[in-house]
Amino acid sequence: MPADRTTARHGREAPTRASQRTGAGDEGAPPRRRRRAAPVPASGPLGKVVAFAGPGIEFARTKLGILDAEQKAALSPEQLRTRRRRQITFSLIGTAASIVLLPLLLLGLGWAFFSVPNPDDAVNNQVATVSYADGAQLARLVPEQGNRIKVGINDVPQQVREAVLSAEDRSFYSNPGFDITGILRAAFNQLIGVGGGGSTITQQYVKNTLVGNEASYWRKYKELIISLKVSQSKTKDEILNDYLNAIYFGRGAYGIQSASFAYFGKPANQLSPSEGALLAGVIQSPSRWDPAIDPQKARERWSFVMDGMAQMNWISKADRASAQFPQTISPQNSSASSSLTDDRGHILNAVKSELSNLGISDQAFSQGGLQVTTTIDPGRQQQLTDSVQKQMEGQPDVLRTGAVAIDPKTGGIVGYYGGKDGTGIDYAKVSKQPGSTFKPFVVLAGLMNDPPIGLGQTYDGSEQVGLRNADGANCPKCDLKQALTISNNVVFTKLAAEVGPQKVADAARLAGITSPLDNPDARLALGNKETTPVQLASAYATIADGGVWHAPHLVSKVVDSDGRVLYEYQPGEGEQRFPEQVARNVAEGMMDVAKNDDLALPSGQEVAAKTGTVQSRIEGQNNDAWFAGFTPDIVSAVWVGTDRNDPIQDASGAPINGKDLPGHVWQSFMADVVRAGQAVDFPTFKAIGKPPSDRAPNEPDTPVTPVRPATPEPTQAPEPTQAAPPPPPPPPPAPATSSPPQSTANPSDDSNGGGGLLGGGSDRSGDGTNG
């Protein structure tokens, strides 16, 4: 810009570049000088260090062309340009050297620090462990004796090996053991958030058995180094043999030999090419391509492998055209592979199911070396198992039992009994009609009604046409708590109709019942829709914890083989489903049931409980019996029934009601829990609406006045001067109240369990529903 124009714009001469640096352009301001750091004293320790290193530093500065401000200012424009060109040249050389030297450095470090485990260690790294809440081992996915049988490469037919190569790495014998293109592609895909990236057999072996399947740059780096070391130390046949002996094929089978037995019931040396193709196809995703899980996807995967074999000329086109999809044997329950054939097998299966819901597949569980900590308390589990076995000993073999215990403050399942056969049906999750254990949800719906219907609301519970009560459960006039104590069917059917059956279903859903409750009617009060012991215990736990619902769960923490936490239950995840006072009122309504059925707990422990019995079509018989209840600290639910909904009878041939075998199992367990701790009080009860009566059911509100005996005649005549006393007035008439019908039932009978709808709700067998 011309000087005169600059002067005209700013009113003064523009300062030169030098004057801008020194500040000489400011009128009246003294020139600025660069401040230098104070010199380091030569006599101090720092001065000695500077004196010693000074020549070296100066030499390096000179070679690198590092100048201070004054030296730069003294350079001419040509010298500055030359200096910049030199800096660019050295930068390019340094960058190129870094590109070459840094990978070599990383390779050297990895080669020095990463060891190659043998195949046995590799499989052990994959074995998952499941522990109790206190860390003690509950199960290992693979037992010590193993479900893995090592075989030599010559024991695997050539075409079976080629089927594996067709599925996983068709260039196995020609590639260097790693696919740098696939690694770079995987790194790029991870950078942009997309999965994928191919791997060789060697990398698959290293990834699946040695370093894990974590999607990270660190894992890819480790995989590459170990793949190189494996390729350098072993032949291709040795690598393939190790791979075939260590890889997971699903069904709890590690290695080709165990897989051959698991899928076809014969050793690997008898496998046909078609059978080998099926096994090769499931390697990548056993949980998706097992024919027992998804036959269509298994067939598609098998076709892919067979087509690849034909393309590589490992089988002829004629053999491919004639090949038939092989038939596999039925898969054994996976718990059998962990030797958990007793009741603990159901815990393991329930854990695996829960992990699947958390996004951790069976394959990841089986191959990731996961350490799973459960909520199962070993003491509570033993008490629950002992209670079931003790009470069911000597009973008919046809009877089945499921029992669950839950900590209401967390939803953690502390005890789980699904049956004595860990490879059979899990009866803790069996869906059955719950009978009168559903009545508390009717009380809950009434309390949440507008206006609320309190425990003191009275009803006529006399039997009606088409609706009867159990022996001893009639109640011409009783409130809701009294009706719940004796399990009067008429009262709760009326209440369900009054508040609306859908509201009863909604209340049960709020508490934690997740089974379908579609198209409910008033008979829902008597439990004509199916649920499970786990769900019932969970719903009662919501009531026990003041209306706070916690998802029932068995898994508290999952850690992989590298110590990374994949999942951990976070306390305080509960959801307030209904007010605390409402929950306390429901519990109050259940407070006299256990005592009424001679199932009270020791140490004066208060307990809220309910029985349930499902009547059979056969007159006087029952199909299912329940007992469930809770203290503020623990909830438990017990079911007894059969596989075929047959009438249930005890060893003496008597029909089983809710207070019988289920009640005895429940009381035995809960009594052990109470004895192991101390009595816990429920929160203070504050009634909603009209409070309940403190009288027993069917106890008259007004006592009958006794008739006084007549006054005897005096033995001696009175004095003549005294008037004889008037005769006493007649006794007043008794109050005009209808006296309740007298029950001839024994007080120990299951008054909570009998009675039901005549021709009422039906389950899969069309049985009537008891109270």
Side-chain angles (χ1 to χ4, degrees):
M1 180 180 294
D4 56 346
R5 185 176 301 177
T6 305
T7 304
R9 176 177 297 179
H10 297 286
R12 62 184 178 181
E13 185 177 354
T16 64
R17 184 179 299 271
S19 66
Q20 286 176 334
R21 287 199 302 266
T22 61
D26 296 337
E27 296 180 4
R32 298 179 183 175
R33 292 184 179 179
R34 180 180 296 274
R35 297 183 61 185
R36 293 183 177 272
V40 177
S43 58
L46 184 58
K48 294 179 179 179
V49 171
V50 171
F52 177 79
I57 295 174
E58 189 62 30
F59 176 79
R61 287 172 57 88
T62 301
K63 291 298 182 182
L64 294 175
I66 300 175
L67 305 176
D68 59 23
E70 292 182 356
Q71 290 172 325
K72 289 181 181 179
L75 294 177
S76 66
E78 182 60 30
Q79 290 175 321
L80 287 172
R81 284 192 294 271
T82 302
R83 184 173 180 275
R84 290 193 191 98
R85 286 194 297 269
R86 187 184 304 162
Q87 287 176 332
I88 293 173
T89 301
F90 282 127
S91 296
L92 293 175
I93 294 173
T95 302
S98 298
I99 293 174
V100 175
L101 295 178
L102 182 60
L104 291 177
L105 176 63
L106 293 175
L107 177 62
L109 291 174
W111 199 278
F113 289 105
F114 296 150
S115 61
V116 180
N118 61 48
D120 294 331
D121 292 335
V123 171
N124 290 333
N125 287 339
Q126 296 181 78
V127 172
T129 59
V130 179
S131 64
Y132 290 103
D134 64 354
Q137 181 174 296
L138 189 155
R140 297 177 76 234
L141 185 64
V142 181
E144 281 71 13
Q145 66 270 23
N147 65 342
R148 169 175 170 262
I149 307 169
K150 291 189 290 185
V151 293
I153 191 69
N154 293 327
D155 291 322
V156 182
Q158 178 69 29
Q159 289 185 317
V160 173
R161 286 179 259 163
E162 291 168 343
V164 173
L165 299 183
S166 174
E168 298 298 319
D169 184 5
R170 298 177 187 179
S171 64
F172 171 71
Y173 280 98
S174 61
N175 65 49
F178 63 93
D179 180 3
I180 191 63
T181 303
I183 293 175
L184 294 175
R185 182 168 61 251
F188 177 74
N189 287 340
Q190 184 178 338
L191 186 64
I192 63 175
V194 178
S199 297
T200 65
I201 281 280
T202 308
Q203 287 175 264
Q204 288 289 330
Y205 168 62
V206 170
K207 178 179 69 174
N208 290 328
T209 63
L210 305 181
V211 303
N213 200 24
E214 176 194 357
S216 69
Y217 296 115
W218 171 255
R219 199 268 298 165
K220 278 293 181 184
Y221 165 60
K222 189 175 181 182
E223 175 188 319
L224 175 61
I225 300 301
I226 297 181
S227 296
L228 286 171
K229 294 188 73 172
V230 168
S231 298
Q232 290 294 316
S233 61
K234 296 190 176 188
T235 67
K236 288 289 187 178
D237 280 349
E238 287 175 334
I239 294 172
L240 181 59
N241 191 44
D242 288 346
Y243 176 82
L244 291 174
N245 278 318
I247 204 71
Y248 182 64
F249 286 85
R251 299 194 181 189
Y254 292 84
I256 188 71
Q257 182 81 328
S258 294
S260 183
F261 282 113
Y263 284 85
F264 300 107
K266 60 185 179 181
N269 61 13
Q270 297 180 15
L271 289 172
S272 68
S274 181
E275 292 167 337
L278 187 144
L279 292 181
V282 302
I283 290 175
Q284 194 174 106
S285 183
S287 60
R288 291 169 54 198
W289 289 324
D290 185 335
I293 298 174
D294 194 328
Q296 181 61 35
K297 287 187 176 179
R299 187 177 292 273
E300 292 173 359
R301 182 66 175 167
W302 172 82
S303 296
F304 167 79
V305 177
M306 292 294 292
D307 291 342
M309 294 178 70
Q311 291 172 9
M312 299 297 294
N313 295 318
W314 290 329
I315 59 173
S316 67
K317 289 182 169 47
D319 289 340
R320 172 64 188 98
S322 62
Q324 298 292 321
F325 185 75
Q327 294 297 317
T328 59
I329 62 177
S330 298
Q332 295 180 351
N333 189 288
S334 58
S335 64
S337 67
S338 343
S339 292
L340 294 186
T341 56
D342 58 10
D343 57 277
R344 294 174 301 162
H346 296 302
I347 299 177
L348 178 59
N349 289 334
V351 166
K352 293 171 70 175
S353 176
E354 189 170 319
L355 289 174
S356 179
N357 293 333
L358 294 172
I360 300 173
S361 67
D362 177 67
Q363 182 180 6
F365 177 58
S366 301
Q367 291 185 255
L370 302 187
Q371 302 169 41
V372 181
T373 303
T374 70
T375 58
I376 296 292
D377 182 294
R380 297 287 179 264
Q381 179 66 25
Q382 192 63 54
Q383 290 167 341
L384 185 63
T385 303
D386 290 346
S387 296
V388 172
Q389 293 176 347
K390 176 182 177 182
Q391 298 300 325
M392 299 303 294
E393 184 178 3
Q395 298 299 330
D397 291 338
V398 71
L399 295 179
R400 303 288 183 261
T401 307
V404 178
I406 290 181
D407 179 352
K409 295 179 176 61
T410 64
I413 297 174
V414 297
Y416 191 96
Y417 185 88
K420 61 183 179 181
D421 181 5
T423 64
I425 297 174
D426 183 353
Y427 295 104
K429 291 184 176 180
V430 70
S431 292
K432 296 288 184 177
Q433 292 184 6
S436 284
T437 58
F438 224 76
K439 287 176 180 174
F441 306 129
V442 188
V443 176
L444 175 60
L447 290 166
M448 297 180 69
N449 194 55
D450 187 15
I453 300 173
L455 295 175
Q457 184 71 35
T458 58
Y459 292 86
D460 181 358
S462 302
E463 289 186 352
Q464 300 176 354
V465 177
L467 182 61
R468 63 183 177 86
N469 296 309
D471 292 339
N474 281 325
C475 185
K477 182 182 179 182
C478 57
D479 62 30
L480 290 182
K481 182 176 180 179
Q482 293 169 332
L484 198 60
T485 300
I486 60 175
S487 199
N488 183 283
N489 293 331
V490 176
V491 168
F492 287 97
T493 304
K494 288 181 176 180
L495 179 58
E498 181 179 349
V499 300
Q502 186 57 54
K503 288 188 177 180
V504 175
D506 294 342
R509 188 76 67 210
L510 282 176
I513 299 297
T514 58
S515 296
L517 301 174
D518 301 331
N519 303 315
D521 55 31
R523 295 173 297 178
L524 181 61
L526 308 183
N528 70 341
K529 302 290 185 180
E530 294 182 342
T531 189
T532 70
V534 171
Q535 290 181 34
L536 185 64
S538 172
Y540 275 26
T542 304
I543 301 171
D545 196 36
V548 178
W549 173 83
H550 300 272
H553 61 280
L554 278 163
V555 178
S556 63
K557 190 175 183 179
V558 182
V559 179
D560 69 7
S561 57
D562 292 327
R564 293 183 303 117
V565 177
L566 304 182
Y567 167 81
E568 186 169 13
Y569 173 80
Q570 298 298 323
E573 291 183 350
E575 177 183 339
Q576 188 80 46
R577 293 287 182 87
F578 43 87
E580 182 178 2
Q581 187 181 1
V582 170
R584 180 63 182 86
N585 273 250
V586 177
E588 183 66 24
M590 306 165 66
M591 207 67 78
D592 293 339
V593 172
K595 181 179 179 181
N596 185 71
D597 287 329
D598 295 330
L599 296 172
L601 300 183
S603 304
Q605 174 63 61
E606 291 182 312
V607 62
K610 191 69 193 76
T611 54
T613 309
V614 179
Q615 186 183 26
S616 170
R617 278 178 174 267
I618 300 174
E619 183 66 26
Q621 299 294 324
N622 306 314
N623 279 6
D624 299 281
W626 298 72
F627 199 99
F630 57 88
T631 70
D633 280 349
I634 193 165
V635 182
S636 59
V638 181
W639 166 84
V640 172
T642 66
D643 289 327
R644 300 175 57 186
N645 286 342
D646 294 327
I648 50 176
Q649 298 175 344
D650 62 18
S652 67
I656 299 173
N657 296 303
K659 75 163 197 173
D660 297 329
L661 284 177
H664 296 156
V665 172
W666 177 89
Q667 184 192 41
S668 175
F669 168 71
M670 295 291 283
D672 286 343
V673 172
V674 171
R675 293 189 190 101
Q678 57 184 1
V680 182
D681 294 331
F682 280 81
T684 302
F685 170 61
K686 182 179 179 181
I688 295 175
K690 185 179 179 181
S693 171
D694 57 359
R695 298 181 181 276
N698 289 325
E699 182 180 340
D701 291 335
T702 305
V704 178
T705 303
V707 178
R708 292 189 299 174
T711 304
E713 292 292 330
T715 57
Q716 184 176 359
E719 295 292 332
T721 57
Q722 294 177 340
T737 58
S738 59
S739 86
Q742 298 298 316
S743 171
T744 59
N746 189 306
S748 66
D749 289 343
D750 185 10
S751 59
N752 290 296
L757 294 171
L758 296 178
S762 63
D763 59 14
R764 291 183 297 269
S765 299
D767 300 326
T769 302
N770 275 356

